[in-house]
Amino acid sequence: MLVLKYLLVIVGIGLFGSSGALLVYDIYLSSQLRRLLGRRRDKTTGELLPEDPVEVSRPLRPVRWGLAQRLAAAGVLPLLVAFSIAIVPDGFAGVRVSQIWGARPGTLYPGVHLVTPLVDSVELYDTREQVYTTAASPTVKAQGPASPAAQPEVLTVQAREGLNIGLAVSVRYRLDSHRLSYIHANLPRAVGDEVVAPTVATIYRQLAPNYITREIFATKREELRSAAANAITSRLASDGIIVREVLLRDLKLPEEYAQGLEGLLLKEQENERLGTETEIKQKHVKIAELEAEAQKSRDVKQAEAQAQVRVLQAKAEADSMQYTLPLKQKQIEQSKLEAQARKEATLQNAEAAAQAKIIDSKAELERQKNLSDAEANRIRVTAAADAERMKFEAAVLKQNPMLIQKIIAERLSDKLQIMMVPIDGKNFFANDVLRSAFSSASSTASAEDPEEGTPVATAQKRSGRRP
Protein backbone atom coordinates (compact mmCIF):
# COMPACT_ATOMS: atom_id res chain seq x y z
CA MET A 1 0.00 0.00 0.00
CA LEU A 2 2.88 2.36 0.65
CA VAL A 3 4.17 1.66 -2.88
CA LEU A 4 0.72 2.46 -4.30
CA LYS A 5 0.66 5.73 -2.42
CA TYR A 6 4.06 6.78 -3.71
CA LEU A 7 3.11 5.64 -7.21
CA LEU A 8 -0.01 7.81 -7.16
CA VAL A 9 2.03 10.78 -5.97
CA ILE A 10 4.51 10.26 -8.78
CA VAL A 11 1.69 9.97 -11.35
CA GLY A 12 0.00 13.15 -10.10
CA ILE A 13 3.22 15.11 -10.10
CA GLY A 14 3.99 13.76 -13.58
CA LEU A 15 0.63 14.88 -14.91
CA PHE A 16 1.07 18.36 -13.42
CA GLY A 17 4.54 18.56 -14.92
CA SER A 18 3.23 17.41 -18.30
CA SER A 19 0.55 20.14 -18.23
CA GLY A 20 3.07 22.85 -17.45
CA ALA A 21 5.58 21.55 -20.00
CA LEU A 22 2.87 21.50 -22.69
CA LEU A 23 1.97 25.16 -22.05
CA VAL A 24 5.63 26.23 -22.07
CA TYR A 25 6.27 24.32 -25.26
CA ASP A 26 3.31 25.87 -27.10
CA ILE A 27 4.20 29.41 -26.02
CA TYR A 28 7.81 28.88 -27.08
CA LEU A 29 6.81 27.67 -30.55
CA SER A 30 4.44 30.60 -31.03
CA SER A 31 7.09 33.15 -30.13
CA GLN A 32 9.63 31.57 -32.46
CA LEU A 33 7.22 31.50 -35.43
CA ARG A 34 6.20 35.12 -34.83
CA ARG A 35 9.81 36.20 -34.76
CA LEU A 36 10.63 34.39 -38.00
CA LEU A 37 7.63 35.64 -39.88
CA GLY A 38 8.08 39.23 -38.74
CA ARG A 39 11.46 39.58 -40.54
CA ARG A 40 10.56 40.82 -44.14
CA ARG A 41 13.08 42.00 -46.77
CA ASP A 42 12.78 44.52 -49.62
CA LYS A 43 12.61 42.77 -52.98
CA THR A 44 14.76 45.40 -54.74
CA THR A 45 17.33 46.31 -52.18
CA GLY A 46 17.17 43.14 -49.90
CA GLU A 47 17.09 45.23 -46.70
CA LEU A 48 14.98 44.21 -43.65
CA LEU A 49 11.67 46.02 -43.39
CA PRO A 50 10.10 47.05 -40.10
CA GLU A 51 7.67 44.59 -38.53
CA ASP A 52 3.98 44.95 -39.09
CA PRO A 53 2.34 45.46 -35.68
CA VAL A 54 -0.89 43.87 -36.90
CA GLU A 55 0.82 40.65 -37.97
CA VAL A 56 2.94 40.50 -34.81
CA SER A 57 -0.08 40.72 -32.54
CA ARG A 58 -1.88 37.94 -34.40
CA PRO A 59 -1.13 34.42 -32.90
CA LEU A 60 0.34 32.09 -35.41
CA ARG A 61 -0.45 28.82 -33.48
CA PRO A 62 -3.02 28.44 -30.67
CA VAL A 63 -1.80 27.39 -27.20
CA ARG A 64 -3.41 24.11 -26.02
CA TRP A 65 -5.00 25.43 -22.87
CA GLY A 66 -7.74 22.79 -22.78
CA LEU A 67 -5.33 19.85 -22.92
CA ALA A 68 -3.18 21.39 -20.19
CA GLN A 69 -6.25 21.89 -18.00
CA ARG A 70 -7.33 18.30 -18.53
CA LEU A 71 -3.84 17.04 -17.66
CA ALA A 72 -3.78 19.16 -14.51
CA ALA A 73 -7.21 17.89 -13.50
CA ALA A 74 -6.10 14.33 -14.11
CA GLY A 75 -3.02 14.95 -11.93
CA VAL A 76 -5.13 16.24 -9.03
CA LEU A 77 -7.05 12.97 -8.72
CA PRO A 78 -4.01 10.67 -7.97
CA LEU A 79 -2.63 13.22 -5.53
CA LEU A 80 -5.94 13.37 -3.66
CA VAL A 81 -6.11 9.58 -3.53
CA ALA A 82 -2.49 9.40 -2.31
CA PHE A 83 -3.10 12.04 0.38
CA SER A 84 -6.16 10.13 1.57
CA ILE A 85 -4.05 7.00 2.35
CA ALA A 86 -2.47 7.03 5.83
CA ILE A 87 -0.11 4.21 6.87
CA VAL A 88 0.66 3.54 10.54
CA PRO A 89 3.83 1.35 11.05
CA ASP A 90 4.29 -1.36 13.72
CA GLY A 91 4.93 -0.12 17.24
CA PHE A 92 3.08 3.15 16.59
CA ALA A 93 -0.46 4.43 16.79
CA GLY A 94 -1.99 7.48 15.10
CA VAL A 95 -4.41 10.28 15.90
CA ARG A 96 -6.55 11.83 13.15
CA VAL A 97 -6.15 15.62 13.38
CA SER A 98 -8.60 17.76 11.42
CA GLN A 99 -7.86 21.27 10.25
CA ILE A 100 -11.45 22.19 11.17
CA TRP A 101 -12.38 20.23 14.31
CA GLY A 102 -8.95 19.44 15.77
CA ALA A 103 -8.06 16.01 17.20
CA ARG A 104 -10.72 13.47 16.32
CA PRO A 105 -11.63 10.69 18.79
CA GLY A 106 -10.43 7.18 18.06
CA THR A 107 -7.01 5.64 17.55
CA LEU A 108 -5.48 4.52 14.29
CA TYR A 109 -3.64 1.25 14.88
CA PRO A 110 -0.85 -0.17 12.68
CA GLY A 111 -2.10 -0.66 9.14
CA VAL A 112 -3.69 1.35 6.28
CA HIS A 113 -6.35 3.99 6.94
CA LEU A 114 -8.30 6.43 4.73
CA VAL A 115 -8.53 10.09 5.74
CA THR A 116 -9.97 13.22 4.21
CA PRO A 117 -7.28 14.65 1.97
CA LEU A 118 -6.10 18.23 2.60
CA VAL A 119 -8.30 18.34 5.71
CA ASP A 120 -7.17 15.54 8.01
CA SER A 121 -3.61 14.57 8.98
CA VAL A 122 -2.26 11.70 11.09
CA GLU A 123 0.04 12.26 14.07
CA LEU A 124 2.09 9.16 15.01
CA TYR A 125 2.97 8.21 18.60
CA ASP A 126 5.37 5.47 19.75
CA THR A 127 3.32 2.97 21.78
CA ARG A 128 6.26 0.64 22.60
CA GLU A 129 7.68 0.46 26.11
CA GLN A 130 10.18 3.16 26.97
CA VAL A 131 12.56 3.50 29.90
CA TYR A 132 13.24 6.65 31.86
CA THR A 133 16.50 6.38 33.85
CA THR A 134 18.18 8.54 36.47
CA ALA A 135 21.67 8.29 37.97
CA ALA A 136 22.71 8.33 41.61
CA SER A 137 25.80 10.44 40.92
CA PRO A 138 27.35 12.17 37.93
CA THR A 139 29.25 9.72 35.75
CA VAL A 140 32.12 10.50 33.44
CA LYS A 141 31.21 9.61 29.87
CA ALA A 142 33.46 9.21 26.90
CA GLN A 143 33.93 12.43 24.94
CA GLY A 144 31.87 12.52 21.79
CA PRO A 145 28.86 14.07 20.17
CA ALA A 146 26.44 11.58 21.74
CA SER A 147 27.77 11.67 25.30
CA PRO A 148 25.71 14.65 26.67
CA ALA A 149 22.43 13.18 25.45
CA ALA A 150 23.29 9.68 26.68
CA GLN A 151 24.15 10.83 30.21
CA PRO A 152 21.12 10.25 32.49
CA GLU A 153 19.76 12.88 34.84
CA VAL A 154 21.02 12.85 38.44
CA LEU A 155 18.16 12.46 40.97
CA THR A 156 18.95 13.78 44.46
CA VAL A 157 16.52 13.65 47.42
CA GLN A 158 16.76 14.68 51.07
CA ALA A 159 16.17 12.33 53.99
CA ARG A 160 14.68 13.30 57.33
CA GLU A 161 18.11 14.39 58.65
CA GLY A 162 18.60 16.71 55.68
CA LEU A 163 21.28 14.60 54.02
CA ASN A 164 21.30 14.45 50.24
CA ILE A 165 20.94 10.94 48.80
CA GLY A 166 21.39 10.10 45.14
CA LEU A 167 18.89 7.67 43.66
CA ALA A 168 19.33 5.56 40.52
CA VAL A 169 15.75 4.93 39.31
CA SER A 170 14.42 3.22 36.19
CA VAL A 171 10.77 3.55 35.09
CA ARG A 172 9.28 1.41 32.35
CA TYR A 173 6.24 3.03 30.75
CA ARG A 174 4.28 3.29 27.52
CA LEU A 175 1.49 5.45 26.14
CA ASP A 176 -2.10 4.27 26.41
CA SER A 177 -3.18 3.77 22.80
CA HIS A 178 -6.86 4.28 23.73
CA ARG A 179 -6.18 7.81 25.01
CA LEU A 180 -3.94 9.16 22.28
CA SER A 181 -6.44 11.88 21.37
CA TYR A 182 -6.30 13.18 24.98
CA ILE A 183 -2.50 12.95 25.02
CA HIS A 184 -2.25 14.84 21.71
CA ALA A 185 -4.62 17.54 22.90
CA ASN A 186 -3.27 18.05 26.45
CA LEU A 187 0.30 16.79 26.82
CA PRO A 188 3.54 17.99 25.25
CA ARG A 189 5.13 16.00 22.47
CA ALA A 190 8.19 14.90 24.53
CA VAL A 191 6.24 12.94 27.15
CA GLY A 192 9.29 11.26 28.72
CA ASP A 193 11.30 14.42 29.37
CA GLU A 194 8.46 16.84 30.17
CA VAL A 195 5.94 14.62 31.98
CA VAL A 196 7.53 11.39 33.29
CA ALA A 197 10.81 12.91 34.54
CA PRO A 198 9.25 15.69 36.68
CA THR A 199 6.65 13.30 38.09
CA VAL A 200 9.24 10.71 39.18
CA ALA A 201 11.55 13.31 40.73
CA THR A 202 8.68 15.05 42.54
CA ILE A 203 7.23 11.88 44.06
CA TYR A 204 10.60 10.60 45.31
CA ARG A 205 11.39 14.00 46.83
CA GLN A 206 8.01 14.00 48.58
CA LEU A 207 8.41 10.48 50.01
CA ALA A 208 12.11 10.55 50.99
CA PRO A 209 11.71 12.97 53.99
CA ASN A 210 9.46 10.39 55.67
CA TYR A 211 12.48 8.10 56.21
CA ILE A 212 15.85 8.48 57.83
CA THR A 213 18.97 7.80 55.81
CA ARG A 214 19.68 4.43 57.38
CA GLU A 215 16.12 3.22 56.69
CA ILE A 216 16.34 4.27 53.07
CA PHE A 217 19.68 2.52 52.74
CA ALA A 218 18.85 -0.73 54.55
CA THR A 219 15.55 -1.62 56.18
CA LYS A 220 12.86 0.36 54.31
CA ARG A 221 14.36 0.58 50.87
CA GLU A 222 11.73 -1.70 49.31
CA GLU A 223 8.96 0.15 51.15
CA LEU A 224 10.11 3.46 49.65
CA ARG A 225 10.28 1.90 46.17
CA SER A 226 6.82 0.36 46.48
CA ALA A 227 5.23 3.62 47.71
CA ALA A 228 6.90 5.61 44.93
CA ALA A 229 5.83 3.04 42.32
CA ASN A 230 2.18 3.25 43.42
CA ALA A 231 2.22 7.06 43.43
CA ILE A 232 3.94 7.31 40.03
CA THR A 233 1.58 4.75 38.49
CA SER A 234 -1.56 6.54 39.71
CA ARG A 235 -0.23 10.00 38.79
CA LEU A 236 0.78 9.09 35.24
CA ALA A 237 -2.28 6.88 34.64
CA SER A 238 -4.45 10.01 34.81
CA ASP A 239 -2.46 11.41 31.87
CA GLY A 240 -2.80 8.27 29.74
CA ILE A 241 0.65 6.85 30.57
CA ILE A 242 0.81 3.22 31.70
CA VAL A 243 3.68 2.42 34.10
CA ARG A 244 4.85 -1.21 33.96
CA GLU A 245 7.60 -1.18 36.58
CA VAL A 246 9.56 1.16 38.84
CA LEU A 247 13.05 0.03 39.89
CA LEU A 248 15.36 1.50 42.52
CA ARG A 249 18.74 0.33 41.27
CA ASP A 250 21.23 2.10 43.51
CA LEU A 251 21.71 4.61 46.32
CA LYS A 252 24.50 7.12 46.75
CA LEU A 253 25.11 8.27 50.34
CA PRO A 254 27.20 11.30 51.35
CA GLU A 255 30.88 10.47 51.80
CA GLU A 256 31.03 11.37 55.53
CA TYR A 257 27.86 9.47 56.34
CA ALA A 258 28.99 6.48 54.30
CA GLN A 259 32.27 6.31 56.24
CA GLY A 260 30.51 6.59 59.60
CA LEU A 261 27.90 4.05 58.56
CA GLU A 262 30.61 1.69 57.45
CA GLY A 263 32.32 1.94 60.86
CA LEU A 264 28.98 1.43 62.62
CA LEU A 265 28.23 -1.58 60.48
CA LEU A 266 31.64 -3.02 61.31
CA LYS A 267 30.95 -2.61 65.04
CA GLU A 268 27.53 -4.18 64.68
CA GLN A 269 29.03 -7.04 62.77
CA GLU A 270 31.65 -7.50 65.50
CA ASN A 271 28.91 -7.44 68.14
CA GLU A 272 26.87 -9.98 66.20
CA ARG A 273 29.98 -12.14 65.79
CA LEU A 274 30.68 -12.09 69.53
CA GLY A 275 27.06 -12.88 70.31
CA THR A 276 27.13 -15.74 67.83
CA GLU A 277 30.35 -17.12 69.33
CA THR A 278 28.81 -16.91 72.84
CA GLU A 279 25.74 -18.77 71.72
CA ILE A 280 27.92 -21.38 70.03
CA LYS A 281 29.95 -21.90 73.22
CA GLN A 282 26.76 -22.20 75.31
CA LYS A 283 25.48 -24.74 72.86
CA HIS A 284 28.78 -26.64 73.08
CA VAL A 285 28.43 -26.75 76.92
CA LYS A 286 24.86 -27.95 76.62
CA ILE A 287 25.89 -30.54 74.09
CA ALA A 288 28.65 -31.78 76.44
CA GLU A 289 26.13 -32.08 79.31
CA LEU A 290 23.71 -33.97 77.12
CA GLU A 291 26.49 -36.26 75.90
CA ALA A 292 27.54 -36.98 79.52
CA GLU A 293 23.96 -37.82 80.49
CA ALA A 294 23.61 -39.99 77.41
CA GLN A 295 26.89 -41.79 78.23
CA LYS A 296 25.70 -42.34 81.80
CA SER A 297 22.44 -43.79 80.57
CA ARG A 298 24.31 -45.99 78.09
CA ASP A 299 26.66 -47.28 80.86
CA VAL A 300 23.72 -48.10 83.16
CA LYS A 301 21.87 -49.90 80.40
CA GLN A 302 25.03 -51.72 79.36
CA ALA A 303 25.66 -52.89 82.97
CA GLU A 304 22.07 -54.09 83.30
CA ALA A 305 22.37 -55.88 79.97
CA GLN A 306 25.63 -57.57 81.03
CA ALA A 307 24.07 -58.72 84.33
CA GLN A 308 21.11 -60.18 82.49
CA VAL A 309 23.46 -61.86 80.03
CA ARG A 310 25.43 -63.45 82.88
CA VAL A 311 22.22 -64.71 84.52
CA LEU A 312 21.11 -66.17 81.25
CA GLN A 313 24.55 -67.78 80.69
CA ALA A 314 24.45 -69.36 84.18
CA LYS A 315 21.00 -70.74 83.54
CA ALA A 316 22.11 -72.05 80.18
CA GLU A 317 25.18 -73.73 81.70
CA ALA A 318 23.04 -75.34 84.42
CA ASP A 319 20.61 -76.60 81.81
CA SER A 320 23.40 -77.81 79.58
CA MET A 321 25.09 -79.81 82.37
CA GLN A 322 22.11 -82.17 82.44
CA TYR A 323 22.90 -83.14 78.88
CA THR A 324 26.69 -82.73 79.05
CA LEU A 325 27.47 -85.57 81.57
CA PRO A 326 25.87 -88.38 79.52
CA LEU A 327 27.51 -86.94 76.46
CA LYS A 328 30.92 -86.92 78.17
CA GLN A 329 30.47 -90.58 79.23
CA LYS A 330 29.60 -91.54 75.67
CA GLN A 331 32.67 -89.65 74.45
CA ILE A 332 34.92 -91.56 76.97
CA GLU A 333 33.53 -94.92 75.86
CA GLN A 334 33.97 -93.92 72.25
CA SER A 335 37.61 -92.92 72.98
CA LYS A 336 38.27 -96.32 74.61
CA LEU A 337 36.82 -98.14 71.62
CA GLU A 338 38.87 -96.02 69.26
CA ALA A 339 42.09 -96.73 71.28
CA GLN A 340 41.44 -100.48 71.22
CA ALA A 341 40.75 -100.35 67.50
CA ARG A 342 43.99 -98.44 66.96
CA LYS A 343 45.91 -101.04 69.04
CA GLU A 344 44.53 -103.93 67.04
CA ALA A 345 45.23 -102.09 63.82
CA THR A 346 48.83 -101.49 65.00
CA LEU A 347 49.38 -105.20 65.77
CA GLN A 348 47.99 -106.18 62.41
CA ASN A 349 50.19 -103.63 60.71
CA ALA A 350 53.29 -104.96 62.57
CA GLU A 351 52.55 -108.56 61.55
CA ALA A 352 51.99 -107.48 57.97
CA ALA A 353 55.26 -105.52 58.03
CA ALA A 354 57.18 -108.56 59.40
CA GLN A 355 55.76 -110.79 56.71
CA ALA A 356 56.59 -108.19 54.13
CA LYS A 357 60.21 -108.02 55.38
CA ILE A 358 60.53 -111.83 55.23
CA ILE A 359 59.20 -111.79 51.70
CA ASP A 360 61.56 -108.95 50.80
CA SER A 361 64.60 -110.83 52.25
CA LYS A 362 63.67 -114.00 50.33
CA ALA A 363 63.27 -111.95 47.18
CA GLU A 364 66.68 -110.29 47.79
CA LEU A 365 68.39 -113.70 48.27
CA GLU A 366 66.80 -114.99 45.10
CA ARG A 367 67.88 -111.90 43.25
CA GLN A 368 71.49 -112.17 44.48
CA LYS A 369 71.56 -115.86 43.54
CA ASN A 370 70.27 -115.03 40.09
CA LEU A 371 72.87 -112.28 39.75
CA SER A 372 75.72 -114.64 40.81
CA ASP A 373 74.55 -117.30 38.38
CA ALA A 374 74.38 -114.73 35.62
CA GLU A 375 77.89 -113.46 36.47
CA ALA A 376 79.35 -117.03 36.51
CA ASN A 377 77.69 -117.76 33.22
CA ARG A 378 79.10 -114.53 31.79
CA ILE A 379 82.63 -115.37 33.02
CA ARG A 380 82.41 -118.85 31.48
CA VAL A 381 81.19 -117.46 28.19
CA THR A 382 83.86 -114.75 28.22
CA ALA A 383 86.64 -117.27 29.04
CA ALA A 384 85.50 -119.58 26.27
CA ALA A 385 85.43 -116.63 23.86
CA ASP A 386 88.94 -115.54 24.95
CA ALA A 387 90.28 -119.09 24.56
CA GLU A 388 88.77 -119.34 21.13
CA ARG A 389 90.21 -115.98 20.17
CA MET A 390 93.69 -116.93 21.44
CA LYS A 391 93.58 -120.21 19.49
CA PHE A 392 92.66 -118.26 16.40
CA GLU A 393 95.42 -115.70 16.97
CA ALA A 394 97.96 -118.47 17.57
CA ALA A 395 96.97 -120.10 14.31
CA VAL A 396 97.31 -116.78 12.47
CA LEU A 397 100.70 -116.01 14.05
CA LYS A 398 101.87 -119.51 13.24
CA GLN A 399 101.09 -118.89 9.61
CA ASN A 400 102.46 -115.28 9.59
CA PRO A 401 105.18 -114.79 12.23
CA MET A 402 105.92 -111.25 10.99
CA LEU A 403 102.60 -109.97 12.36
CA ILE A 404 104.15 -109.99 15.85
CA GLN A 405 106.71 -107.40 14.81
CA LYS A 406 103.98 -105.26 13.19
CA ILE A 407 101.84 -105.36 16.32
CA ILE A 408 104.80 -104.44 18.53
CA ALA A 409 105.75 -101.57 16.21
CA GLU A 410 102.19 -100.22 16.28
CA ARG A 411 102.11 -100.34 20.09
CA LEU A 412 105.44 -98.49 20.45
CA SER A 413 104.01 -95.20 19.22
CA ASP A 414 101.12 -93.97 17.15
CA LYS A 415 103.52 -91.76 15.19
CA LEU A 416 105.62 -94.64 13.73
CA GLN A 417 105.18 -95.48 10.08
CA ILE A 418 105.51 -99.20 9.27
CA MET A 419 106.96 -100.48 6.02
CA MET A 420 107.15 -104.17 5.13
CA VAL A 421 110.56 -105.33 3.65
CA PRO A 422 112.09 -108.77 3.10
CA ILE A 423 113.83 -109.81 6.23
CA ASP A 424 116.68 -111.47 4.39
CA GLY A 425 117.44 -108.50 2.17
CA LYS A 426 121.17 -107.94 2.28
CA ASN A 427 121.37 -104.77 0.26
CA PHE A 428 118.55 -102.85 2.09
CA PHE A 429 120.06 -99.80 3.78
CA ALA A 430 117.70 -99.84 6.81
CA ASN A 431 118.26 -103.44 7.70
CA ASP A 432 120.51 -102.69 10.64
CA VAL A 433 118.11 -100.06 11.99
CA LEU A 434 115.13 -102.33 11.80
CA ARG A 435 117.02 -105.15 13.45
CA SER A 436 118.08 -102.99 16.35
CA ALA A 437 114.47 -101.80 16.72
CA PHE A 438 113.20 -105.34 16.61
CA SER A 439 115.76 -106.53 19.14
CA SER A 440 114.75 -103.82 21.62
CA ALA A 441 111.11 -104.59 21.04
CA SER A 442 111.67 -108.34 21.57
CA SER A 443 113.52 -107.75 24.81
CA THR A 444 110.68 -105.57 26.05
CA ALA A 445 108.14 -108.18 25.09
CA SER A 446 110.12 -110.88 26.89
CA ALA A 447 110.18 -108.76 30.02
CA GLU A 448 106.43 -108.20 29.83
CA ASP A 449 105.65 -111.94 29.12
CA PRO A 450 108.18 -114.06 31.06
CA GLU A 451 106.02 -117.16 30.87
CA GLU A 452 106.67 -119.38 27.96
CA GLY A 453 103.04 -120.25 27.53
CA THR A 454 102.17 -116.70 26.06
CA PRO A 455 101.52 -116.44 22.38
CA VAL A 456 104.44 -114.00 21.83
CA ALA A 457 107.14 -116.30 23.35
CA THR A 458 105.76 -119.30 21.60
CA ALA A 459 105.83 -117.47 18.26
CA GLN A 460 109.51 -116.44 18.80
CA LYS A 461 110.57 -119.96 19.71
CA ARG A 462 108.80 -121.40 16.72
CA SER A 463 110.29 -118.83 14.32
CA GLY A 464 113.84 -119.79 15.39
CA ARG A 465 115.13 -116.22 14.78
CA ARG A 466 115.39 -112.95 16.69
CA PRO A 467 113.55 -110.01 15.51
Side-chain angles (χ1 to χ4, degrees), residues 132 134 155 169 171 195-205 232 236:
Y132 168 72
T134 64
L155 177 59
V169 180
V171 180
V195 178
V196 177
T199 302
V200 173
T202 301
I203 290 175
Y204 267 103
R205 285 172 181 150
I232 291 171
L236 294 179

Side-chain angles (χ1 to χ4, degrees), residues 384-441:
D386 290 339
E388 186 68 23
R389 182 177 58 80
M390 290 177 69
K391 288 178 181 181
F392 179 75
E393 288 179 354
V396 172
L397 291 175
K398 184 177 181 181
Q399 294 176 3
N400 298 304
M402 293 302 294
L403 289 175
I404 297 173
Q405 298 177 5
K406 178 179 179 296
I407 293 170
I408 293 170
E410 287 178 351
R411 290 184 179 181
L412 290 175
S413 175
D414 57 351
K415 294 182 181 181
L416 290 178
Q417 295 182 357
I418 300 171
M419 183 172 56
M420 303 297 292
V421 297
I423 195 165
D424 56 351
K426 298 179 180 180
N427 297 322
F428 189 62
F429 67 93
N431 191 14
D432 296 332
V433 178
L434 292 175
R435 285 184 178 182
S436 62
F438 287 153
S439 62
S440 62

Side-chain angles (χ1 to χ4, degrees), residues 218-292:
T219 58
K220 296 185 178 181
R221 181 174 179 175
E222 180 61 25
E223 181 180 344
L224 174 62
R225 187 205 65 79
S226 179
N230 295 332
I232 291 171
T233 302
S234 61
R235 181 75 61 84
L236 294 179
S238 62
D239 293 332
I241 301 173
I242 300 174
V243 178
R244 297 296 301 275
E245 189 177 9
V246 178
L247 303 175
L248 182 57
R249 304 191 319 272
D250 193 12
L251 295 173
K252 180 65 176 178
L253 299 176
E255 295 294 335
E256 296 81 1
Y257 185 83
Q259 294 177 0
L261 183 61
E262 184 177 359
L264 182 60
L265 291 175
L266 291 176
K267 291 181 180 179
E268 289 182 355
Q269 291 177 359
E270 183 68 20
N271 187 18
E272 291 178 358
R273 186 181 65 80
L274 293 175
T276 305
E277 290 180 356
T278 303
E279 292 178 358
I280 291 172
K281 290 181 180 180
Q282 292 177 356
K283 290 179 180 179
H284 285 169
V285 172
K286 190 173 182 181
I287 290 171
E289 294 177 354
L290 294 175
E291 288 180 352

Side-chain angles (χ1 to χ4, degrees), residues 95 97 102-104 125 175 178-191 194-195 238-241:
V95 178
V97 180
R104 304 295 298 275
Y125 285 89
L175 301 179
H178 301 286
R179 301 184 62 184
L180 286 182
S181 57
Y182 172 81
I183 294 172
H184 180 77
N186 298 280
L187 298 181
R189 186 69 178 178
V191 176
E194 299 185 12
V195 178
S238 62
D239 293 332
I241 301 173

